[in-house]
Each structure stands twice: as C-alpha cells, then as structure tokens.
Amino acid sequence: MQSILFFGDSLTAGYQLRASESFPSRIQEKIDALHLPYKAYNYGVSGETTAGGRQRISSVLSRFEKIDVFVLELGANDSLRGIPVRETTQNLQYILDEVRRAHPEARVVLVGLEFPFDLGPLATLGGGRMGHYAQEFKALFRQLAEKNEVDFVPFLLHGVIGQRHLNLPDGVHPNAEGQKILANNVWAVLERVIQ
C-alpha cells in the first residue's frame, strides 16, 4: 500500500465538515473505485500559515517510513494576513526542500491558490497595491512548481470561489459540495501522478 500525504490548511482539513467530506477523503473514494493501492492521509490544520507548516513539516514527515506522493496546499492564510509574497515563497520552498530531503523518492504535487477575494473596487485603493499583491501571490505557485519541477494544480478553488451555494456561510470555506469540486480539481493532476 502506497501513501499520499495531504499537507495543508482548513481547505485540506475540511473546515467544519465531517472528515469524510474533505477533499482528501473524496480522493480516497476515487482511488478505491479504481482499485489503486494508495491510502490518503489528511494532515490539514485549520488556520495554518506557511510559517506554521514550516514548523510542523519535519515532525509530520518523520511519522512515515515512506511517502510516495506529497500534496502541498498552503498559503491561503498568508494572503488573508497580507504576509509578503517573498516570505510565503521561502516557507513553501523550505517545505519542498524538507520533503525532498526526508523522502527523495516522493512525487510532489503543489496546489496553486489565488488571492481569495473578488477585489473589484479594492484593486484601485492604495495605488493598486492589492491588485499587485494578488498578481504576485497567484504567480508564486507556478514559479515554485516550475523551479522545483513538481506537478501543479493551477487553482484549488476553481469553480468554487464566489459560488455561495458551494461555500459555508462565511463565504470562504467550501461546503461538502464544494469539497467535491476541490477533489476533482486536484484529481485532474493527481490521477496522472499515481496511474
């Protein structure tokens, strides 16, 4: 049995949902339906920033003798707090380096995120700084994926962001139906990795 480790924040954890409704659990259902020899492990922690992930990564990696696939989804909370893109990038690079060091055989999938709000009128405030931040933030994931030559999910929340019926009342976290779409977005890349 091979292992797929999902390392992320509330989007991975399935904030306020049953464990079976999180997108890693939905991916496990797809794996089982295809009778593939993989087990998904959900190491999502709600509220986690990339700095938190950086502190946590070594202890998580040491729990596994072998990780076959590592799926990294972090950064949403950085953008909500306006953490500089350079800092987010450095933290994600550190996590990627740690995975490579501890589990050199692991295939890595980096999950892309975008600044989570419809900026609209905000984009023109502050001399367009918000819009500039959003562009830089979105770009950092593809740049990291290319630099590290890892598989890449362009945008986790594609088809879910801004859709009221697919999110919890907070408008930020996907509901159970939204998590199914997140699973499809990740599976579009992950399926090629594990087949």
Side-chain angles (χ1 to χ4, degrees), residues 77-181:
N77 291 306
D78 291 42
S79 72
L80 288 170
R81 295 172 190 196
I83 289 170
V85 167
R86 193 182 66 204
E87 205 175 303
T88 299
T89 304
Q90 287 169 348
N91 289 334
L92 291 171
Q93 184 63 59
Y94 178 91
I95 293 167
L96 292 169
D97 290 343
E98 279 296 292
V99 173
R100 195 151 277 162
R101 188 185 60 73
H103 297 275
E105 301 304 307
R107 291 283 303 272
V108 176
V109 177
L110 181 63
V111 177
L113 296 161
E114 294 179 16
F115 192 68
F117 300 114
D118 173 12
L119 291 170
L122 281 177
T124 54
L125 292 175
R129 273 200 310 268
M130 294 285 278
H132 181 67
Y133 180 86
Q135 285 175 318
E136 275 197 340
F137 181 80
K138 177 182 175 179
L140 83 85
F141 294 96
R142 187 174 293 280
Q143 288 163 2
L144 270 177
E146 289 172 359
K147 176 184 169 187
N148 292 277
E149 298 179 343
V150 298
D151 291 282
F152 181 56
V153 176
F155 182 33
L156 178 65
L157 295 171
H158 178 75
V160 177
I161 197 165
Q163 301 294 320
R164 193 169 282 167
H165 65 289
L166 295 173
N167 288 281
L168 296 175
D170 65 15
V172 177
H173 294 97
N175 60 22
E177 286 305 305
Q179 283 277 342
K180 287 180 186 173
I181 297 173

Side-chain angles (χ1 to χ4, degrees), residues 176-193:
E177 286 305 305
Q179 283 277 342
K180 287 180 186 173
I181 297 173
L182 268 53
N184 291 339
N185 291 343
V186 175
W187 185 244
V189 173
L190 185 60
E191 184 179 17
R192 292 197 302 271
V193 173

